[in-house]
Amino acid sequence: ALLYWPLRLPGSYVGMYVLTLLTVGLFVVAGWHALRTPSRGSIPGSRWWLLLLVPLALKASFWSDTRLLPLAGFRAFNVPSGAMEPTIIVGDRVIADLTYYRESKPKPNDVVVIQRGGAFLIKRVVASSGDTVEGKDDLVFVNGNLLKEPYVEHIGNALSLNLNTKQFGPVIVLPGQLFVLGDNRDNSMDSRTAEFGPVTENSVAARILYVVRRPKWWRAGLNLVANTLRSLRPDGRQ
């Protein structure tokens, strides 16, 4: 366990940047030691090399967050679609935990990565096996209960996808399946349509954790798990 826990540092935004700083430090120290340590037949490198080592170390650390993350059970995804807005916006780069569902099953309100037809899609789980889902006038009911969905957005161009966002179902979710929706309900191809339908639990590849890079700087570090839980608190406070 003591050898394993450092690999799980990217499970949080702070942990990711601790790992990045450690990578930068290791790169700089190793490079500096190699340049400045005298050896037979060679002259120690100039101290000016330090100015080059730092940007090279930063470059190496950013490379490692995509190439090495899967070795620790994580993966970075770039978001090209607005289907999950405003929770995840176009241009966000998010970190997902590839191992989270090895010990548990996806549950309602989880934001997950689904693998379908060679593509990765990000959706929110609304209902699981045995649940009955129905849409009425832009509201979603599960087992007859109205869902509280403060994260949902309606932008009014559902016709572009030929979606009936106001009415759908009722749909009974079969065993081993999940009913998933995008938070941008008027611009998301999801389980409401016959073409997409419910997804299998086995198609869920990862759980989305947080935003690591973004087009809007203030979104960096946005914890998508905690943010959803806060929005669903009974007292309604943010």
Side-chain angles (χ1 to χ4, degrees):
L2 292 177
L3 295 176
Y4 176 74
W5 76 262
L7 294 178
R8 299 298 294 172
L9 279 174
S12 70
Y13 179 72
V14 173
M16 167 67 81
Y17 273 89
V18 167
L19 196 61
T20 298
L21 291 175
L22 289 175
T23 303
V24 171
L26 181 62
F27 187 98
V28 171
V29 170
W32 184 247
H33 183 268
L35 286 168
R36 296 297 297 168
T37 301
S39 61
R40 183 180 302 175
S42 66
I43 301 173
S46 168
R47 290 183 174 87
W48 290 103
W49 277 102
L50 186 59
L51 297 178
L52 181 61
L53 282 175
V54 173
L56 283 177
L58 288 170
K59 179 69 175 177
S61 69
F62 293 147
W63 176 85
S64 68
D65 75 11
T66 55
R67 304 290 181 175
L68 300 181
L69 274 177
L71 297 178
F74 300 93
R75 180 168 174 176
F77 291 91
N78 294 316
V79 180
S81 164
M84 280 298 295
E85 291 183 350
T87 305
I88 303 172
I89 67 174
V90 174
D92 273 349
R93 185 175 180 80
V94 297
I95 299 297
D97 188 342
L98 301 173
T99 66
Y100 187 84
Y101 294 117
R102 290 180 183 175
E103 303 296 332
S104 62
K105 292 185 177 182
K107 59 184 182 298
N109 291 317
D110 284 359
V111 179
V112 300
V113 179
I114 300 163
Q115 188 169 10
R116 282 176 71 100
F120 291 99
L121 307 172
I122 299 176
K123 303 293 179 183
R124 185 183 297 273
V125 177
V126 170
S128 55
S129 61
D131 290 332
T132 299
V133 189
E134 186 173 8
K136 299 178 181 179
D137 298 326
D138 282 335
L139 301 176
V140 178
F141 296 82
V142 176
N143 300 326
N145 300 313
L146 174 64
L147 292 187
K148 178 184 177 183
E149 298 183 296
Y151 39 76
V152 165
E153 177 178 79
H154 290 281
I155 60 175
N157 69 343
L159 292 179
S160 64
L161 290 176
N162 295 317
L163 294 177
N164 183 354
T165 60
K166 294 183 180 296
Q167 315 289 337
F168 64 88
V171 176
I172 299 176
V173 185
L174 299 179
Q177 293 189 339
L178 302 166
F179 195 92
V180 298
L181 298 174
D183 286 355
N184 187 350
R185 292 294 159 81
D186 296 338
N187 192 31
S188 172
M189 186 67 71
D190 47 43
S191 295
R192 293 171 292 178
T193 68
E195 295 81 4
F196 194 99
V199 302
T200 64
E201 293 177 353
N202 291 335
S203 69
V204 176
R207 186 192 196 194
I208 297 294
L209 300 178
Y210 56 88
V211 178
V212 66
R213 297 181 199 162
R214 67 293 170 230
K216 298 181 179 180
W217 63 267
W218 61 86
R219 289 176 56 82
L222 177 63
N223 187 323
L224 298 172
V225 176
N227 202 50
T228 294
L229 292 176
R230 283 196 300 270
S231 69
L232 296 172
R233 291 197 313 187
D235 56 17
R237 293 180 297 164
Q238 299 298 316

